[in-house]
């Protein structure tokens, strides 16, 4: 190997008149001798190719050198094919254990994934069952505490509490924790206080109906109060209309009660009489009265 390197180095030296052609006589080889190591002399071939390239850059072709150049050309092409073939063989052989390892690793990954999902689903199902058992215990406690507060069942259900049951709500002995009971107590106590507040309020029955919908006391009170404001406005409008109707009827009755003055017939002319009275009404109504007088041919004057 060292001898080849010396020959290649000599080929690089170019004298003024004589060019020395590099020579590579060794057989090209490549093989795997261990993991991560390939034994070859491809680098030597590479140096030979570089030197030969430099040689032919500087040489003048003559009839004498043409035959040698043609032989060299065939040799170089053969070397190229050999290097390419070794490259493919070595890469393919080198990839065999990698491919085998990769396939085994992928299969193992899939098996591990399936095993994980199996265990995970079983754990999730177990936790789900435990949570359901805890929730059942919490519901029983809720019913007992609700009864102690004299709260009718139609006013409050366990679902209304919006409690997210977790495994931490149960002790190692399988009993409800103080935290779980406290959460139920606080929410039931709040509803109890709100129901008591409602019972003291005006329109309590209506507010209670609204409150049951979503347990929002402020909204229930506002909705009922707003509703009664509207009802009161409607009532006032109705009364105003009734009063206006009575006034209109009184005016009509007053007009109808006016009797025509007695007229004494004379041979010459009828005696004209004068009647004074006040009329109260809306603008449109007074206009109607004036139109009536004019249509009947009665004279009048405005005060």
């Amino acid at each position: 190997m060292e001898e080849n390197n010396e020959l290649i180095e000599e080929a690089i030296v170019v004298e003024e008149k004589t060019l020395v052609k590099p020579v590579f006589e060794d057989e090209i080889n490549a093989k795997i001798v261990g993991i991560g190591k390939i034994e070859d002399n491809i680098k030597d071939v590479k140096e030979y190719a570089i030197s030969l390239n430099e040689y032919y850059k500087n040489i003048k072709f003559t009839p004498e050198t043409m035959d040698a150049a043609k032989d060299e050309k065939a040799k170089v092409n053969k070397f190229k094919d050999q290097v390419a073939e070794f490259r493919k063989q070595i890469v393919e052989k080198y990839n065999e254990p990698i491919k085998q390892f990769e396939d085994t690793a992928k299969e193992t990954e899939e098996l591990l994934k399936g095993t994980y999902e199996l265990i995970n689903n079983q754990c999730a199902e177990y936790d789900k069952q435990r949570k359901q058992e805890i929730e059942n215990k919490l519901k029983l406690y809720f019913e007992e505490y609700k009864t102690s507060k004299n709260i009718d069942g139609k006013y409050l259900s366990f679902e209304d509490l919006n409690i997210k049951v977790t495994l931490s709500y149960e002790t190692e002995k399988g009993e409800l924790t103080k935290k779980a009971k406290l959460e139920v107590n606080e929410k039931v106590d709040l509803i109890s206080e709100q129901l008591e507040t409602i019972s003291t309020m005006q329109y309590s029955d209506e507010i209670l109906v609204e409150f049951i919908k979503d347990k929002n006391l402020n909204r229930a009170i506002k909705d009922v109060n707003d509703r009664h404001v509207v009802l009161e406005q409607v009532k006032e409008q109705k009364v105003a209309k009734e009063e206006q109707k009575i006034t209109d009827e009184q005016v009509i009755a007053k007009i109808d009660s006016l009797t025509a003055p007695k007229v004494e017939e004379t041979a010459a002319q009828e005696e004209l009489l004068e009647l004074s009275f006040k009329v109260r009404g809306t603008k449109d109504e007074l206009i109607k009265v004036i139109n009536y007088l004019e249509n009947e041919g009665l004279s009048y004057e405005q005060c």
Side-chain angles (χ1 to χ4, degrees):
M1 184 72 69
E2 293 178 356
E3 182 181 356
N4 290 334
N5 291 335
E6 291 175 359
L7 292 174
I8 293 173
E9 290 177 358
E10 292 177 359
I12 299 175
V13 178
V14 180
E15 298 180 358
E16 293 182 359
K17 296 183 179 180
T18 305
L19 294 176
V20 180
K21 183 179 70 173
V23 178
F24 184 84
E25 300 293 346
D26 291 346
E27 291 290 331
I28 297 176
N29 64 83
K31 62 180 179 179
I32 298 175
V33 297
I35 298 177
K37 183 179 179 181
I38 299 175
E39 186 176 289
D40 66 271
N41 63 350
I42 301 299
K43 288 185 179 179
D44 297 339
V45 180
K46 177 181 177 182
E47 294 298 329
Y48 162 73
I50 294 172
S51 300
L52 189 63
N53 188 284
E54 288 294 328
Y55 172 80
Y56 276 103
K57 281 182 179 179
N58 293 282
I59 194 172
K60 286 186 177 181
F61 276 83
T62 64
E64 291 75 15
T65 60
M66 277 298 296
D67 292 338
K70 288 180 179 179
D71 292 340
E72 197 69 48
K73 181 179 68 170
K75 185 178 179 180
V76 168
N77 193 53
K78 179 182 177 181
F79 281 1
K80 176 183 72 66
D81 292 341
Q82 287 180 323
V83 170
E85 184 62 27
F86 274 118
R87 172 179 59 79
K88 295 175 183 178
Q89 291 178 2
I90 292 298
V91 170
E92 181 180 355
K93 193 166 186 62
Y94 200 82
N95 283 337
E96 285 179 1
I98 296 176
K99 180 67 167 58
Q100 183 178 1
F101 170 77
E102 186 178 26
D103 291 343
T104 303
K106 286 182 177 180
E107 291 174 1
T108 305
E109 288 173 20
E110 288 299 319
L111 288 171
L112 291 173
K113 179 182 178 182
T115 303
Y116 169 82
E117 291 176 351
L118 175 64
I119 298 173
N120 185 58
N121 291 338
Q122 290 177 336
C123 290
E125 184 62 29
Y126 177 77
D127 288 346
K128 181 180 178 181
Q129 292 177 358
R130 279 196 60 198
K131 287 180 182 179
Q132 187 59 55
E133 293 172 358
I134 296 172
E135 183 174 324
N136 292 339
K137 294 178 182 179
L138 203 60
K139 284 182 178 179
L140 290 175
Y141 177 78
F142 160 75
E143 293 296 337
E144 293 174 359
Y145 191 73
K146 181 179 68 172
T147 301
S148 70
K149 289 292 184 177
N150 297 320
I151 299 178
D152 195 317
K154 65 183 179 181
Y155 298 147
L156 181 65
S157 66
F158 179 79
E159 287 70 26
D160 292 331
L161 302 184
N162 292 321
I163 294 178
K164 185 178 181 181
V165 178
T166 65
L167 297 178
S168 64
Y169 279 20
E170 187 179 56
T171 65
E172 294 181 355
K173 295 181 179 181
E175 299 175 351
L176 292 175
T177 62
K178 292 182 179 179
K179 177 183 177 182
K181 292 180 179 180
L182 180 60
E183 186 172 356
V184 171
N185 293 353
E186 290 178 346
K187 294 190 176 184
V188 173
D189 288 344
L190 175 61
I191 296 297
S192 178
E193 293 172 3
Q194 291 176 326
L195 290 173
E196 182 64 27
T197 300
I198 291 173
S199 66
T200 64
M201 301 181 70
Q202 187 181 15
Y203 315 126
S204 59
D205 291 342
E206 296 179 48
I207 294 175
L208 181 59
V209 171
E210 292 295 331
F211 175 74
I212 293 174
K213 293 179 180 179
D214 58 4
K215 308 302 182 294
N216 187 326
L217 182 57
N218 291 333
R219 182 203 58 76
I221 294 173
K222 182 178 183 303
D223 286 356
V224 172
N225 286 340
D226 290 347
R227 183 188 306 150
H228 278 275
V229 168
V230 174
L231 290 174
E232 188 63 29
Q233 292 174 347
V234 172
K235 182 179 178 181
E236 291 176 355
Q237 292 174 359
K238 184 176 180 180
V239 171
K241 288 182 179 180
E242 289 295 332
E243 292 177 348
Q244 184 64 45
K245 182 179 179 181
I246 293 173
T247 302
D248 293 344
E249 291 175 349
Q250 290 175 342
V251 171
I252 294 172
K254 184 68 175 177
I255 295 176
D256 290 343
S257 66
L258 295 177
T259 58
K262 293 181 180 180
V263 180
E264 295 182 2
E265 295 183 0
T266 60
Q269 61 179 9
E270 293 181 346
E271 181 181 3
L272 296 178
L273 301 178
E274 183 177 292
L275 177 63
S276 298
F277 63 91
K278 290 184 179 180
V279 178
R280 292 186 179 85
T282 64
K283 180 179 179 181
D284 291 340
E285 292 168 343
L286 295 177
I287 291 174
K288 290 180 181 179
V289 174
I290 294 174
N291 290 337
Y292 172 79
L293 296 174
E294 291 179 348
N295 291 335
E296 293 297 323
L298 300 174
S299 62
Y300 65 92
E301 61 182 34
Q302 297 185 20
C303 300

